[in-house]
Amino acid sequence: NRTATGIDGVSLGGITALQVGLARPDIFGVVGALQPAIRSEKIGTLTTLASKAKQSGALPKLRLTTSRDDYYRAAIAQTDASWTAAGITHDFSDLPGPHDYIFNRGAGGLEMLFWQDRTLTIS
């Protein structure tokens, strides 16, 4: 059941979760990324993947999360803007904190898990 199947990741795992989840919307109903390592040249590809998923009627629930001292904050914010312009429904969070293990194992990781818990449909 795709609505009960989610993928999420942090940093390099975050960009991987986005690429895999958006490439396979038939499998993943929920796709999130915490401080994904998005490079600006990948924004168009992510927007195209999300647009194709939307056109197929299988757009997963999406979430991008960054933080104020995240190395990738600008590209993540640009991805948010690109998805918004393309009509891709998604959640975007910009939290206080750095891009480090303390944040990812603490507040960032907890927020990621809580979002998955709220979003997945388990029956």
Side-chain angles (χ1 to χ4, degrees), residues 90-114:
H90 66 285
D91 294 332
F92 175 74
S93 296
D94 189 351
L95 306 172
H99 187 113
D100 66 8
Y101 286 112
I102 295 169
F103 178 81
N104 291 325
R105 290 180 182 163
L110 289 171
E111 183 57 32
M112 178 177 67
L113 292 171
F114 289 143

Side-chain angles (χ1 to χ4, degrees), residues 1 10 17 19 22 35 44 50 62 74-75 80 85-86 99 103-104 106 112 114-115 118 121 123:
N1 178 349
V10 178
Q19 291 169 327
L22 288 170
Q35 299 179 324
L62 298 170
D80 167 57
H99 187 113
F103 178 81
N104 291 325
M112 178 177 67
F114 289 143
W115 182 76
R118 289 188 308 266
T121 305
S123 48

Side-chain angles (χ1 to χ4, degrees), residues 2-44:
R2 72 180 284 279
T3 62
T5 305
I7 187 170
D8 214 318
V10 178
S11 196
L12 288 171
I15 185 65
T16 302
L18 291 171
Q19 291 169 327
V20 170
L22 288 170
R24 294 303 309 262
D26 57 315
I27 295 173
F28 298 101
V30 176
V31 178
L34 174 62
Q35 299 179 324
I38 297 173
R39 291 182 292 163
S40 57
E41 63 267 17
K42 293 292 184 183
I43 295 169

Side-chain angles (χ1 to χ4, degrees), residues 19-86:
Q19 291 169 327
V20 170
L22 288 170
R24 294 303 309 262
D26 57 315
I27 295 173
F28 298 101
V30 176
V31 178
L34 174 62
Q35 299 179 324
I38 297 173
R39 291 182 292 163
S40 57
E41 63 267 17
K42 293 292 184 183
I43 295 169
T45 301
L46 293 172
T47 302
T48 298
L49 285 170
S51 294
K52 286 181 181 179
K54 180 182 177 184
Q55 290 169 356
S56 76
L59 182 66
K61 293 177 183 176
L62 298 170
R63 182 167 196 201
L64 295 171
T65 302
T66 188
S67 66
R68 298 206 178 89
D69 296 317
D70 181 7
Y71 319 127
Y72 303 103
R73 184 176 187 227
I76 296 166
Q78 290 170 357
T79 304
D80 167 57
S82 180
W83 286 2
T84 298

